[in-house]
Amino acid sequence: MDLATTLAKPAWSFEELCVVLGLPDSTVELIAREQPAPPFFMLGRRRYILRTDALDWLEERRNAHPWVPRKNNRKKVSRV
């Protein structure tokens, strides 16, 4: 599956979303079940999401859960 071709599509299948995110199916499934859930739809037996909806959902997740480095780094410091 070519990532450039996938990114150009107007809608992504669930499997394509996993490839775009670089995460396993099970992890994306858990994330997608959290609220607010992204708007998936069914075509036949496959689950799809519009590319714009997926990007908006990712933007919401980024704003809601920014990564902040820990202040107290617990790495072992070698004492001389």
Side-chain angles (χ1 to χ4, degrees):
M1 184 180 315
D2 182 27
L3 188 58
T5 305
T6 300
L7 291 174
K9 291 182 178 181
W12 296 334
S13 68
F14 185 78
E15 293 78 19
E16 290 170 334
L17 179 63
C18 295
V19 169
V20 169
L21 295 176
L23 296 171
D25 296 353
S26 58
T27 302
V28 176
E29 185 71 40
L30 289 173
I31 293 170
R33 290 181 184 269
E34 294 177 2
Q35 292 301 323
F40 287 99
F41 60 95
M42 299 293 290
L43 283 177
R45 294 183 180 184
R46 291 193 170 214
R47 190 171 25 169
Y48 289 88
I49 185 170
L50 291 176
R51 179 182 44 142
T52 55
D53 289 343
L55 295 176
D56 291 343
W57 173 65
L58 288 172
E59 184 70 21
E60 289 172 13
R61 297 277 303 177
R62 184 181 71 86
N63 292 331
H65 303 287
W67 179 79
V68 179
R70 290 176 50 169
K71 290 181 182 176
N72 56 347
N73 191 347
R74 296 180 185 221
K75 289 183 181 177
K76 302 266 184 190
V77 178
S78 62
R79 307 257 183 216
V80 180

